Amino acid sequence: MQILSTTEENYLKCIYQLLKEGSEKVGTNEIAALTGTKAASVSDMLKKLAEKQLLSYQKYHGVSLTEEGAKTALLILRRYRLWEVFLVEKLKFNWDEVAALAEELEHVKAPPLVRRLDEYLGFPKFDPHGDPIPDEFGEWSHTPRMLLQEVSPGKAGKIVAVTNNSAAFLKYLDKVGIYIGAKIEVLDKIEFDGSLELRIDGDKRNFLSREVAANLQVILHPS
């Protein structure tokens, strides 16, 4: 495994996350927007990572990860998500507080520490936001999910993940009683604005906007 700087690791994780959204390649401007870096600086870093054979980069044609680059990015995500679990479950941070802390801790690379952390936490499969945690070989379980916004009235299931990890969004979910594992039933979809009326955990009723529902993933109960 190559020795990478913190910045190089951040770029690999960023590129992996952008590719996960469905594109085969991502552009320099997309990476610059996500990292808050100038396009020229992004291009310089992409050249360095290409020289290390972690990505395929051709100017004006976008970027994709090599097999080694993708594996490295997954191991960074593994460390990040394990630290999120540790911070929430063991140190009792709120789920809206852990992103910046976990991003610092993800760069601690010692494999024995990561393996012991995984064991200490009971080999969790998902982080506090519902994202899957890769194992030490970069593998994870894939469970079919759908966006809450796409669920029809009369269907029921549970919240399993959020696609927006911003502190403001997570605090809002706390306020309205939505959390990972919450049981939901869609009572109605409002034609005017696409908002949903929900029953949460069998009794509490609430309305969620289309935007909020589009950032929640659910698993439906069998019909």
Side-chain angles (χ1 to χ4, degrees):
M1 187 68 68
Q2 300 187 57
I3 297 176
L4 302 177
S5 70
T6 295
T7 302
E8 289 172 328
E9 289 193 340
N10 287 339
Y11 268 79
L12 285 177
K13 189 174 78 167
C14 167
I15 294 166
Y16 180 87
Q17 290 171 324
L18 288 169
L19 290 169
K20 192 181 68 171
E21 296 174 3
S23 301
E24 291 185 2
K25 293 186 177 183
V26 294
T28 301
N29 290 336
E30 292 176 87
I31 299 168
L34 191 57
T35 59
T37 309
K38 293 182 179 180
S41 298
V42 172
S43 296
D44 289 341
M45 178 56 69
L46 296 181
K47 291 174 184 175
K48 291 180 182 179
L49 293 171
E51 289 171 0
K52 294 186 176 184
Q53 300 184 334
L54 295 171
L55 54 81
S56 298
Y57 170 62
Q58 187 176 0
K59 195 172 183 180
Y60 306 124
H61 291 279
V63 175
S64 61
L65 293 173
T66 62
E67 183 177 348
E68 184 181 353
K71 181 178 179 181
T72 302
L74 281 169
L75 292 179
I76 297 166
L77 275 177
R78 167 176 163 79
R79 298 194 299 262
Y80 173 78
R81 292 173 180 172
L82 283 172
W83 284 118
E84 282 194 314
V85 175
F86 175 78
L87 291 167
V88 170
E89 291 191 359
K90 303 303 180 181
L91 299 188
K92 307 306 178 184
F93 281 90
N94 292 329
W95 66 339
D96 59 274
E97 298 177 314
V98 297
L101 292 169
E103 283 175 358
E104 297 222 8
L105 291 166
E106 74 185 14
H107 301 295
V108 179
K109 304 177 183 67
L113 172 62
V114 178
R115 283 194 291 269
R116 291 199 181 193
L117 176 65
D118 192 17
E119 181 180 7
Y120 175 65
L121 295 171
F123 305 103
K125 300 299 183 185
F126 300 94
D127 74 9
H129 308 105
D131 290 316
I133 299 175
D135 64 19
E136 61 183 312
F137 305 105
E139 302 292 333
W140 60 33
S141 301
H142 296 276
T143 305
R145 303 170 173 186
M146 66 185 301
L147 294 177
L148 177 56
Q149 180 59 35
E150 300 171 352
V151 178
S152 302
K155 299 290 186 179
K158 67 176 180 178
I159 305 293
V160 294
V162 297
T163 57
N164 181 338
N165 289 346
S166 70
F169 183 69
L170 298 176
K171 287 177 181 177
Y172 173 79
L173 294 184
D174 284 338
K175 186 174 182 179
V176 298
I178 295 288
Y179 58 95
I180 301 300
K183 298 176 182 178
I184 56 94
E185 179 185 357
V186 178
L187 303 175
D188 194 16
K189 180 176 287 189
I190 310 304
E191 183 177 354
F192 174 69
D193 62 359
S195 60
L196 299 180
E197 182 183 6
L198 301 179
R199 179 180 287 119
I200 303 171
D201 289 336
D203 52 11
K204 183 180 179 181
R205 289 189 177 213
N206 213 327
F207 284 88
L208 293 184
S209 70
R210 175 195 292 270
E211 182 179 0
V212 171
N215 281 284
L216 296 170
Q217 293 182 336
V218 300
I219 293 178
L220 296 184
H221 298 323
S223 301

